């Protein structure tokens, strides 16, 4: 099992989305700009995300998932879902509104409709993303991918009528893409599964089996993490529904089932860490000690204190991250939170400059 050094810093994935994404998206729709113009803007936003993570001193970076969005209108999970749904022919095309959480019964998101079998070999663009980000980055690059449970559970299923079967086929597709990633030299992979607390135990057990299928047989030097969160999305008037609470913070937190995933570790919110004490074993835990639902920038000491609370967790098992992605936060706030993570690392390791 590959391990990161104690208090390694990493991000969940998404970086701050520029506010100009929205008007650019409208200009493309109006025919005043070409899709290629937007692709150029996405590339430049990716470069900025890389630079800001590296300036802050983050150890394992991403490309900010900037190319997966053309706007930030719908709060996650739809940005990552839509990006990958559109790449799968039997899930692309028509969408239908769907409620996502009992917290907000009047909030609906566009959901894909599955109308045929999911192919087992189809390029989802992960290798191209890895090569693009790596060409600009000086730090190790992590590629994030929506997990089979979220991809399946939020869609309308008109083909399988069987969620475990649909998840298994998605897992086989993810496995094919992860193998290509490993062959391209990627050593850091993350799956995102924020929908576990609202699902039944039986459903999560099937999801765990699907995730294990997706990561089975990857080379020993590929580090696989799973991000499990409560849905820390949608603050303020720019988001549909103006949701200011955790999106999926309802239901049993299933750390016992999550820890059956045969990965190297997990990324979770700092207040969820105690749930893992009995089940984590020798895996690593990335503590989401900066809060993406708060517009205030934490100090490094605040982040370090949130991590120290979990005294049961050995330093060699402890990593530092955020509670979720930074997509909805202003750039300067996201950068400040990244710097706080790095300062917390220096406090916890005793290597303050």
């Amino acid at each position: 099992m590959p391990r990161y050094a104690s208090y390694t810093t990493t991000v969940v994935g998404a970086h701050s989305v520029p506010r100009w994404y929205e008007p650019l998206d409208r200009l493309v729709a109006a025919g005043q700009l070409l899709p290629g113009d937007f692709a150029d803007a996405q590339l430049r936003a990716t470069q900025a995300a890389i630079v800001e993570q590296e300036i802050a001193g983050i150890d394992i970076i991403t490309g900010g998932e900037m190319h997966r969005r053309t706007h930030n209108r719908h709060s996650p999970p739809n940005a990552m879902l839509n990006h990958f749904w559109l790449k799968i022919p039997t899930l692309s095309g028509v969408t239908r509104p769907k409620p996502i959480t009992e917290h907000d019964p009047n909030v609906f998101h566009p959901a894909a409709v599955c109308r045929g079998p999911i192919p087992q070999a189809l390029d989802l663009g992960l290798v191209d993303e890895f090569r693009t980000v790596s060409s600009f980055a000086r730090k190790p690059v992590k590629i994030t991918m929506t997990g089979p449970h979220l991809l399946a559970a939020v869609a309308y299923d008109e083909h399988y009528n069987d969620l475990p079967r649909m998840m298994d086929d998605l897992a086989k597709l993810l496995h094919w893409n992860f193998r290509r990633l490993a062959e391209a030299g990627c050593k850091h992979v993350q799956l995102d599964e924020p929908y576990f607390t609202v699902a039944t135990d039986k459903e999560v057990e099937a999801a765990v089996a699907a995730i294990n299928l997706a990561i089975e047989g990857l080379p020993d030097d590929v580090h696989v993490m799973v991000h499990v969160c409560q849905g820390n999305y949608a603050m303020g008037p720019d988001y549909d529904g103006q949701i200011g609470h955790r999106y999926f913070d309802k239901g049993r937190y299933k750390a016992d089932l999550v820890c059956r995933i045969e990965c190297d570790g997990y990324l979770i919110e700092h207040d969820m860490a105690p749930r893992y004490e009995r089940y984590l074993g020798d895996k690593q835990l990335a503590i989401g000690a900066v809060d993406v639902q708060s517009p205030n920038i934490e100090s490094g000491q605040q982040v370090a204190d949130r991590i120290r609370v979990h005294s049961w967790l050995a330093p060699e098992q402890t990593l530092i991250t955020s509670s979720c992605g930074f997509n909805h936060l202003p750039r300067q706030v996201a950068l400040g939170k990244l710097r706080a993570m790095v300062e917390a690392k220096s406090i916890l390791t005793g290597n303050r400059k």
Side-chain angles (χ1 to χ4, degrees):
M1 176 186 297
R3 296 182 74 86
Y4 293 127
S6 300
Y7 306 117
T8 290
T9 56
T10 189
V11 292
V12 167
H15 197 59
S16 172
V17 175
R19 292 183 65 88
W20 42 259
Y21 260 47
E22 184 77 21
L24 282 187
D25 184 43
R26 290 196 294 266
L27 289 172
V28 173
Q32 295 177 269
L33 286 176
L34 297 174
D37 298 323
F38 205 112
D40 179 68
Q42 290 172 314
L43 176 61
R44 295 177 187 279
T46 296
Q47 293 171 324
I50 294 167
V51 167
E52 294 194 346
Q53 290 171 77
E54 293 191 342
I55 286 174
I58 297 297
D59 296 310
I60 310 294
I61 70 166
T62 71
E65 302 177 359
M66 309 306 293
H67 72 295
R68 300 182 184 182
R69 300 172 184 272
T70 55
H71 56 71
N72 210 25
R73 193 173 306 127
H74 295 289
S75 61
N78 267 82
M80 57 182 173
L81 285 170
N82 289 340
H83 176 75
F84 293 113
W85 280 336
L86 288 172
K87 291 181 177 293
I88 304 170
T90 51
L91 280 164
S92 65
V94 66
T95 63
R96 295 182 198 154
K98 188 172 188 178
I100 305 297
T101 167
E102 293 182 21
H103 267 308
D104 300 277
N106 297 319
V107 175
F108 294 80
H109 295 294
V113 180
C114 182
R115 292 179 168 174
I118 293 161
Q120 295 183 20
L122 178 72
D123 185 2
L124 295 177
L126 302 184
V127 171
D128 285 346
E129 179 180 351
F130 172 70
R131 288 174 174 158
T132 297
V133 177
S134 297
S135 70
F136 298 110
R138 293 172 294 178
K139 294 289 188 74
V141 172
K142 176 172 67 176
I143 296 299
T144 64
M145 176 67 216
T146 311
H149 178 252
L150 188 65
L151 284 168
V154 181
Y156 288 100
D157 176 16
E158 293 186 353
H159 172 73
Y160 293 92
N161 297 309
D162 184 322
L163 184 61
R165 282 184 57 220
M166 187 176 176
M167 285 193 290
D168 279 354
D169 277 4
L170 283 163
K172 293 170 186 174
L173 173 59
L174 297 191
H175 183 264
W176 188 90
N177 279 268
F178 292 157
R179 294 291 300 187
R180 305 290 85 72
L181 262 181
E183 291 166 4
C186 181
K187 306 296 184 187
H188 312 275
V189 174
Q190 174 184 306
L191 284 91
D192 296 310
E193 289 287 16
Y195 207 47
F196 280 173
T197 53
V198 298
T200 65
D201 281 26
K202 184 176 181 181
E203 187 173 313
V204 174
E205 288 172 354
V208 168
I211 293 168
N212 285 337
L213 177 60
I215 62 179
E216 183 180 30
L218 291 179
D220 291 341
D221 61 350
V222 175
H223 198 296
V224 180
M225 299 286 286
V226 176
H227 171 221
V228 180
C229 84
Q230 302 296 86
N232 301 277
Y233 311 142
M235 307 180 334
D238 293 335
Y239 293 88
D240 51 346
Q242 300 184 32
I243 302 158
H245 51 71
R246 287 177 175 173
Y247 219 50
F248 306 130
D249 208 357
K250 186 171 183 177
R252 187 177 85 83
Y253 194 95
K254 305 170 184 67
D256 55 331
L257 303 181
V258 170
C259 287
R260 296 180 190 175
I261 300 172
E262 296 170 4
C263 59
D264 302 302
Y266 308 96
L267 299 92
I268 51 94
E269 298 99 338
H270 71 91
D271 59 312
M272 292 292 120
R275 312 292 185 99
Y276 289 81
E277 183 173 1
R278 293 172 52 199
Y279 307 107
L280 186 64
D282 61 354
K283 294 176 183 175
Q284 292 186 303
L285 201 63
I287 304 295
V290 297
D291 184 359
V292 302
Q293 284 198 305
S294 170
N296 300 316
I297 298 172
E298 295 91 344
S299 68
Q301 189 64 57
Q302 283 178 300
V303 176
D305 288 345
R306 287 173 181 172
I307 292 171
R308 281 176 170 151
V309 165
H310 311 296
S311 57
W312 63 272
L313 188 62
E316 60 269 21
Q317 291 182 274
T318 309
L319 313 176
I320 304 173
T321 190
S322 58
S323 60
C324 203
F326 291 121
N327 65 287
H328 59 279
L329 291 172
R331 185 199 63 79
Q332 67 274 16
V333 174
L335 180 58
K337 288 177 180 287
L338 291 173
R339 285 177 165 152
M341 289 164 52
V342 174
E343 184 182 353
K345 176 183 176 178
S346 70
I347 293 170
L348 292 165
T349 58
N351 294 324
R352 301 193 74 167
K353 296 179 181 179

